[in-house]
Amino acid sequence: MENDHWPLFDLEVRTPRLTLRYLDDALAEHVVAVAARGVHDPAVMPFLVPWTDLPSPQMEHEAMRFFWRTRASVQPDSWNLQFAVVVEDEVVGLCDLGADHFAALRQVKTGSWLGREFQGRGLGKEFRMAALTLAFDGLDAEFALTGLWHDNAASRGVTESLGYEFAGRHRAVRREAPDEQLDYRMSLEHWRTIRRNDITLHGVERARDFLAISPRSER
């Protein structure tokens, strides 16, 4: 049954290996449970915001607040769409797709994580392809951006394997100390050379209407 009052709840991206499902409260509970079991080696911090440094249950409480706050702040020209990553009906991580001034810039930024128990299976590249399919094919983006710490080998490997263009580096605070982030960008032209035909979008037309996204040809 379609959700009349919040159409984003019907949004899904399906690949042969996994599904991205727009995050509702039930999925959020599973996501925070995965996070509580561990996302990375505690000795390193792969995220710009060090949310995994919080002790349990504070981490879970703050994560739920973040999910609710992010959902409530969605506007047509500024949004962050969060998805549970689901493999064979099991939640394994989170992926998000965000944009500011989308009507003018037509660019999105991706972010993601997998529970440690699910890493090393090639899922990171698979759900990045799913997110890019939604961005370029579903929402008519023209550019996709991503950023990572200079020593995040796993994220860098996925990003470079997909052919993102290196866009520079900048200093940022990491656990209260200065460090370096790397920036990457993918264009629509490059996307058309790597896109796959086995990834399907569901609920995207109603999501486009909800976010007031016009086709590229009408801009």
Side-chain angles (χ1 to χ4, degrees):
M1 185 176 69
E2 291 185 343
N3 191 295
D4 292 331
H5 305 301
W6 199 256
L8 298 178
F9 282 137
D10 299 323
L11 190 56
E12 289 191 356
V13 186
R14 302 173 190 166
T15 87
R17 297 191 63 194
L18 56 81
T19 300
L20 301 186
R21 293 179 182 158
Y22 182 80
L23 201 67
D24 59 18
D25 286 354
L27 287 169
E29 290 282 352
H30 290 287
V31 167
V32 297
V34 174
R37 296 198 298 270
V39 178
H40 58 84
D41 182 345
V44 299
M45 175 45 65
F47 306 122
L48 184 59
V49 177
W51 58 276
T52 49
D53 280 348
L54 294 173
S56 181
Q58 184 184 359
M59 184 274 289
E60 294 94 313
H61 296 165
E62 290 302 320
M64 293 298 291
R65 289 188 180 100
F66 174 73
F67 297 149
W68 289 321
R69 185 168 61 248
T70 302
R71 187 191 307 161
S73 68
V74 167
Q75 299 292 334
D77 208 33
S78 178
W79 36 262
N80 188 329
L81 310 181
Q82 296 175 327
F83 298 87
V85 183
V86 182
V87 177
E88 296 180 349
D89 295 323
E90 182 176 22
V91 173
V92 301
L94 182 80
C95 179
D96 63 41
L97 188 70
D100 290 306
H101 308 292
F102 185 76
L105 299 179
R106 287 286 167 147
Q107 67 184 18
V108 300
K109 189 168 185 177
T110 60
S112 60
W113 57 264
L114 278 172
R116 291 188 77 178
E117 63 207 279
F118 306 109
Q119 295 171 13
R121 305 181 189 178
L123 295 174
K125 185 173 182 178
E126 185 76 358
F127 68 69
R128 183 83 67 88
M129 282 296 295
L132 292 171
T133 300
L134 175 60
F136 287 114
D137 295 353
L139 304 180
D140 285 351
E142 295 175 3
F143 294 97
L145 314 179
T146 194
L148 52 100
W149 292 116
H150 66 92
D151 56 358
N152 190 336
S155 182
R156 188 171 184 173
V158 168
T159 298
E160 294 182 349
S161 72
L162 292 173
Y164 281 76
E165 174 187 0
F166 179 65
R169 60 189 73 218
H170 68 274
R171 279 164 62 84
V173 176
R174 186 183 195 183
R175 281 181 169 165
E176 302 182 356
D179 212 323
E180 185 175 72
Q181 281 211 325
L182 308 181
D183 303 312
Y184 291 84
R185 186 176 82 159
M186 181 183 292
S187 67
L188 173 63
E189 289 72 24
H190 176 71
W191 166 250
R192 287 170 171 160
T193 70
I194 66 167
R195 69 177 302 277
R196 288 165 36 187
N197 295 319
D198 60 350
I199 300 176
T200 58
L201 306 174
H202 304 267
V204 71
E205 289 304 324
R206 297 182 72 234
R208 288 177 63 105
D209 290 343
F210 186 70
L211 298 173
I213 296 176
S214 60
R216 291 190 192 98
S217 59
E218 294 182 9
R219 296 177 63 236

